[in-house]
Amino acid sequence: MFTPRAQNSTLAASLTVLAAAFLAGTTLLAKALGTGALGPEMHALQISFGRFLFALVTICGAIAVVRPKFTRPHLGLHAGRSALGWGGVTLMFAAAAFIPLSDATAISFLNPVFGMLLAIPLLGEKVGPVRWSAALIALAGAAVLTRPGGDAIELGAVLALCSALCLGAELILIKRLSGWEGPLQILFINNAIGLCIAGIAASFVWQAPTPAQWAALAGIGVLMAAAQACFVNAMARADASFVAPFFYAALVFAAIYDAAVFRVVPDRVSVIGACIILTGAGLLAWREGRVRAPFPAPRK
């Protein structure tokens, strides 16, 4: 399931859209838990714990079936990646309780932009005019979505921006790990470490979940693992520059889910901000697809 496959652009596009639908579903369930739709309002730290718990269970099931060969891991990079991933996921779940899902999803597309910006001081990368232009365009869209002068909506946008910053930093470590270890090994170690971090943090805010909340937590973990599996398989069947635009379908799914469940319809500001961010992110994806420099393997 996680080994290189023959190129198939149609299947790659379908898998990417499916991954987008799954990912938007995790945010929908997090919003339902955080806003009290399924019982008492649940803290984002506890929602994050459920995400890592059930994602790890799902990945262990995949490992039992696939039986991949594990290599010696670089635990330092894994620890840093897992801490950033936990922070990014937790902040995104918190943001989902304050702002429309379409806004939170649009801001999440800043991940590669922040990753590019952080790669300048951390990896010594040189950034040309096209990449700088893409970053400035995407950040301008984020500025629109923060709605300066707002109240709860502004807070949610700031939380989503902080989430994108954490996940952008995580991208740098993922790129290094992906050239050294297998996908299932990376997913397993990431979720195992993430579960430990999330468990400690959740212990300070723990409340007994209702059966419906347990089901939602399980759904978040399973959908997240399914999204990762679909995306990894899509990347094995087509170039990243081809796959990336299809992942923006998550924005459409988020808007549909939000309208169907919470009766929240994106307003003009949301549409304008999302379009600006997608323009910048799309330009960056195109540029990255044309020039792809290999990342050095991590030192053991």
Side-chain angles (χ1 to χ4, degrees):
M1 180 173 65
F2 292 93
T3 55
R5 303 286 184 174
Q7 296 292 289
N8 187 328
S9 58
T10 301
L11 181 56
S14 300
L15 287 170
T16 305
V17 172
L18 189 59
F22 289 153
L23 187 64
T26 65
T27 313
L28 173 68
L29 291 175
K31 181 171 184 174
L33 289 166
T35 56
L38 298 175
E41 292 185 8
M42 183 173 289
H43 198 284
L45 293 175
Q46 190 169 347
I47 299 174
S48 182
F49 169 78
R51 171 257 184 263
F52 281 100
L53 171 63
F54 290 104
L56 181 62
V57 171
T58 303
I59 291 169
C60 286
I63 290 175
V65 174
V66 179
R67 297 182 181 277
K69 181 180 179 181
F70 281 14
T71 59
R72 181 183 175 187
H74 190 289
L75 294 179
L77 287 180
H78 277 293
R81 181 258 167 116
S82 298
L84 289 168
W86 167 78
V89 167
T90 303
L91 288 168
M92 180 57 67
F93 288 163
F98 292 97
I99 59 177
L101 294 183
S102 58
D103 284 13
T105 303
I107 293 174
S108 73
F109 293 144
L110 290 172
N111 297 354
V113 174
F114 285 129
M116 180 205 78
L117 296 175
L118 291 171
I120 298 173
L122 297 179
L123 299 176
E125 285 193 0
K126 295 181 179 180
V127 177
V130 175
R131 297 170 80 188
W132 274 119
S133 298
L136 292 174
I137 292 172
L139 291 172
V144 172
L145 288 181
T146 59
R147 292 171 169 84
D151 187 14
I153 291 180
E154 182 180 358
L155 171 61
V158 171
L159 290 173
L161 278 171
C162 292
S163 169
L165 180 59
C166 288
L167 296 176
E170 183 193 20
L171 282 177
I172 295 177
L173 301 185
I174 291 176
K175 287 180 179 180
R176 298 198 65 187
L177 285 169
S178 63
W180 191 258
E181 301 176 23
L184 262 182
Q185 175 172 322
I186 293 174
L187 290 176
F188 171 75
I189 296 176
N190 165 240
N191 282 276
I193 297 177
L195 179 60
C196 294
I197 298 173
I200 295 172
S203 66
F204 295 99
V205 297
W206 185 264
Q207 62 183 35
T210 66
Q213 289 176 326
W214 273 120
L217 290 172
I220 290 174
V222 172
L223 287 175
M224 186 68 75
Q228 291 174 326
C230 288
F231 192 71
V232 167
N233 277 277
M235 292 288 285
R237 290 173 168 84
D239 293 336
S241 57
F242 173 82
V243 168
F246 290 98
F247 196 70
Y248 298 152
L251 184 60
V252 177
F253 286 114
I256 293 174
Y257 296 164
D258 218 9
V261 178
F262 294 101
R263 301 293 188 268
V264 175
V265 179
D267 59 14
R268 182 180 301 179
V269 175
S270 293
V271 173
I272 293 174
C275 289
I276 296 174
I277 288 178
L278 289 181
T279 300
L283 178 60
L284 181 60
W286 171 80
R287 179 64 178 82
E288 294 300 309
R290 291 175 61 88
V291 180
R292 300 183 60 82
F295 278 76
R299 295 171 58 187
K300 293 222 174 180

